[in-house]
Amino acid sequence: MEQNRNYAPEYPRIAEDLKSAILKGVYDNKEHPFPSENALAQRYGVSRSTLRKALDLLKREGLIEKSQGRRVQVSLNKLHLTSWNFSSFSEGLKALNDEPYSRVDEAEVVEVNGETFFHLRRTRGVKRGLTVQFLTLEDSWVPYRLFPRIELHNFAEESLYEVMRREYRIYPCKGVSTITALSADDALSRDFDVPLGTALVQAKQAITDLNDRVIEKVTIIYAPELEIRLVRDAGH
Amino acid sequence: MEQNRNYAPEYPRIAEDLKSAILKGVYDNKEHPFPSENALAQRYGVSRSTLRKALDLLKREGLIEKSQGRRVQVSLNKLHLTSWNFSSFSEGLKALNDEPYSRVDEAEVVEVNGETFFHLRRTRGVKRGLTVQFLTLEDSWVPYRLFPRIELHNFAEESLYEVMRREYRIYPCKGVSTITALSADDALSRDFDVPLGTALVQAKQAITDLNDRVIEKVTIIYAPELEIRLVRDAGH
DNA sequence: AAGTGGTCTAGACCACCAT
DNA sequence: TGGTGGTCTAGACCACTTA
């Protein structure tokens, strides 16, 4: 039997392909159920083992659910945004068929304690018809020496991580986050359209790159509408 | 060729066995390097594929590190602790030199919509001298058909996951969490000793086992003192 | 060059689920 | 009962590391 040796492994490519189909809404668990493992193995011309490795990746991302005897279920039904990832905010929302909207509240180069930062504050949400529903408030501090002239980009349009990767070849890699809760103050209650004192989730993150350099310190406040879903594998 | 069909899968058992060896300090990456996959497959009398599934579990737990061409490295050096894991609450606190304390508020077998659950509610914290500081409130629903007679254990003393592993051979594997915030009501403000209306973090988690069966649905409310730290690596 | 882990195959049986 | 996913095998080639 011929083997397909490009020597990039096949299964991540298959996973990407299936992922994009899932995000496009090709499968609905009813009229268009997710295909069986055997069918997919045949479609992609690989063995069932290899196909299963691809499904494993999707399972870990929470895009599918498997259980013995039953068909694989796609799980995109709920409004879920794994905000715990490095895909851009916009990418996440596209999957939800919403139009992303970013309002830049502040974008300037400032010096703090002798170090220069690019300070970016954005209120982000989705456009629904004529109104905008705000979903997050993001306050980012980016070390300027790693990203000179980054202020020239318009981050109402572009993704921060995308620019970091494309223009500076610096790749977000790891994040340490601290989750706390806070009560909505006046400005937050206005932005998110919730009563004063509403409990909100706040995440402080330090994002590092492949070399463990801190490339962003960011505080994100989430609107109550936005459920934060974390998928994680067995840990320590 | 004979196959070992007990029909419990072999690989979690192998992983447990290797884990205990690693924790005992049998391997040191120098004089006693971790054995090769082929050697281990032979030792346990399984194919290399099966053995690799066992190693995958250890890798996800952070107990070993693999890279192509090199021997498997055991990695017990770092002690990192996130509250987002499957180690028991007690284990986590021991590392912090605090004495864990659990108050069982409810522990009974109940039927909901024709399905039977073991319902466990615990308030958990640490003893500091004479007083107890409560840190979490955990409300767990465990499917009784998977864990018959589980109510006979005293979960003020024992870890839920430890009992699941030891007595039922069911292994917590993945968790999907939804984070929200809520305002402290009367009971919460009393338990956590915070003002009424204080914003608190709440996590709803579905814990699944190796076969993606849901083995616990749990809601955890965290005291403000308890920072939730998440460490994540980029998936890409 | 030898040995390691990474990927892959073609087949098999089992346990579970829906019909 | 048929189909599904879960597990497993015995063998193969590849890419990387180490000696």
Side-chain angles (χ1 to χ4, degrees):
Chain A
M1 183 56 54
E2 196 215 353
Q3 298 183 358
N4 32 5
R5 303 281 184 222
N6 313 347
Y7 252 83
E10 280 296 300
Y11 67 91
R13 202 196 47 108
I14 295 173
E16 280 298 315
D17 193 59
L18 289 169
K19 178 179 180 176
S20 101
I22 291 170
L23 294 179
K24 278 183 197 150
V26 171
Y27 308 114
D28 62 0
N29 296 331
K30 289 172 249 167
E31 289 184 34
H32 304 281
F34 198 80
S36 76
E37 294 183 347
N38 281 319
L40 287 174
Q42 196 159 12
R43 175 197 297 180
Y44 289 106
V46 296
S47 72
R48 195 173 147 226
S49 315
T50 300
L51 189 275
R52 278 174 63 82
K53 289 199 74 170
L55 294 190
D56 272 351
L57 294 180
L58 300 178
K59 201 168 69 171
R60 288 202 215 172
E61 284 195 51
L63 285 169
I64 59 171
E65 290 168 17
K66 301 173 84 180
S67 51
Q68 206 176 73
R70 268 207 301 267
R71 269 295 176 81
V72 167
Q73 306 278 306
V74 307
S75 66
L76 260 188
N77 20 20
K78 319 171 196 159
L79 170 78
H80 85 153
L81 173 72
T82 324
S83 67
W84 230 263
N85 54 31
F86 296 103
S87 69
S88 72
F89 183 79
S90 347
E91 283 171 38
L93 288 175
K94 267 177 209 149
L96 300 173
N97 286 326
D98 276 320
E99 190 184 349
Y101 176 81
S102 285
R103 184 185 76 199
V104 173
D105 300 309
E106 193 167 338
E108 51 183 22
V109 178
V110 293
E111 200 178 310
V112 181
N113 297 333
E115 195 179 347
T116 308
F117 291 92
F118 173 56
H119 179 209
L120 177 65
R121 196 171 68 226
R122 291 183 288 185
T123 309
R124 316 181 76 179
V126 291
K127 262 190 200 152
R128 283 177 178 153
L130 292 175
T131 65
V132 171
Q133 179 177 18
F134 287 114
L135 294 172
T136 69
L137 196 152
E138 302 188 18
D139 194 75
S140 300
W141 296 82
V142 174
Y144 197 68
R145 68 174 199 291
L146 293 178
F147 303 95
R149 286 199 297 281
I150 194 172
E151 77 279 12
L152 300 180
H153 291 84
N154 176 6
F155 291 107
E157 304 296 332
E158 286 189 277
S159 152
L160 182 57
Y161 295 139
E162 183 50 37
V163 167
M164 287 177 165
R165 281 190 285 250
R166 193 185 63 231
E167 304 289 329
Y168 299 90
R169 299 286 162 200
I170 289 180
Y171 298 89
C173 165
K174 203 172 74 172
V176 177
S177 309
T178 304
I179 309 273
T180 50
L182 83 171
S183 288
D185 63 10
D186 205 54
L188 285 170
S189 94
R190 202 169 40 242
D191 273 338
F192 290 155
D193 193 25
V194 295
L196 210 67
T198 301
L200 302 171
V201 173
Q202 172 181 257
K204 293 193 183 202
Q205 308 183 33
I207 311 293
T208 52
D209 76 347
L210 297 168
N211 300 322
D212 281 315
R213 298 178 297 191
V214 174
I215 59 174
E216 185 195 16
K217 287 193 178 183
V218 57
T219 301
I220 308 179
I221 298 171
Y222 296 90
E225 288 83 8
L226 200 56
E227 290 194 332
I228 304 177
R229 287 192 58 209
L230 306 169
V231 181
R232 63 143 162 47
D233 294 304
H236 330 288
Chain B
M1 181 58 54
E2 196 215 353
Q3 297 183 359
N4 29 5
R5 303 283 183 221
N6 313 346
Y7 254 84
E10 281 297 299
Y11 68 91
R13 202 197 46 115
I14 295 173
E16 281 296 318
D17 192 59
L18 288 170
K19 178 177 181 175
S20 100
I22 291 170
L23 293 178
K24 277 182 197 149
V26 171
Y27 308 113
D28 63 359
N29 297 332
K30 291 172 244 167
E31 289 184 34
H32 304 279
F34 198 81
S36 75
E37 294 183 346
N38 280 320
L40 287 174
Q42 196 159 14
R43 176 198 297 179
Y44 289 106
V46 297
S47 73
R48 196 174 145 224
S49 313
T50 300
L51 190 273
R52 278 173 64 81
K53 288 198 74 169
L55 294 190
D56 272 350
L57 294 181
L58 300 178
K59 199 169 67 172
R60 290 202 217 171
E61 286 196 49
L63 284 169
I64 59 170
E65 290 167 17
K66 301 173 83 179
S67 52
Q68 205 175 78
R70 266 206 302 266
R71 270 295 176 84
V72 166
Q73 305 279 306
V74 308
S75 68
L76 264 185
N77 19 21
K78 1 180 170 162
L79 168 82
H80 60 158
L81 171 78
T82 65
S83 67
W84 225 262
N85 56 31
F86 294 106
S87 70
S88 71
F89 184 79
S90 348
E91 286 170 37
L93 287 175
K94 268 175 208 150
L96 299 172
N97 285 327
D98 275 320
E99 188 184 351
Y101 176 82
S102 285
R103 184 185 78 201
V104 173
D105 300 308
E106 192 166 337
E108 51 182 24
V109 178
V110 292
E111 198 179 312
V112 181
N113 296 334
E115 196 180 345
T116 309
F117 291 92
F118 174 56
H119 179 209
L120 178 67
R121 198 171 65 227
R122 292 183 286 186
T123 309
R124 316 182 76 177
V126 291
K127 263 191 197 149
R128 282 180 178 149
L130 293 175
T131 63
V132 171
Q133 179 177 19
F134 287 113
L135 295 173
T136 68
L137 195 151
E138 300 187 20
D139 194 75
S140 299
W141 296 81
V142 175
Y144 197 67
R145 69 174 200 290
L146 293 178
F147 303 95
R149 287 198 295 282
I150 195 173
E151 77 277 13
L152 300 179
H153 291 85
N154 176 6
F155 291 107
E157 304 295 332
E158 286 189 277
S159 152
L160 182 57
Y161 295 140
E162 184 49 38
V163 167
M164 286 177 166
R165 281 189 285 250
R166 194 185 62 233
E167 304 289 330
Y168 300 89
R169 298 285 163 203
I170 289 180
Y171 301 89
C173 165
K174 202 176 74 171
V176 177
S177 310
T178 304
I179 309 274
T180 50
L182 83 172
S183 288
D185 63 9
D186 205 54
L188 284 170
S189 94
R190 200 168 42 243
D191 273 339
F192 290 156
D193 192 26
V194 295
L196 211 66
T198 302
L200 302 171
V201 174
Q202 172 182 255
K204 293 194 184 202
Q205 304 184 35
I207 310 294
T208 51
D209 77 346
L210 296 168
N211 298 323
D212 284 307
R213 297 180 298 192
V214 173
I215 59 175
E216 185 195 15
K217 286 193 178 182
V218 56
T219 301
I220 307 178
I221 297 172
Y222 295 90
E225 288 82 8
L226 200 56
E227 289 195 335
I228 304 175
R229 286 192 57 210
L230 306 169
V231 180
R232 76 177 298 289
D233 292 301
H236 314 290

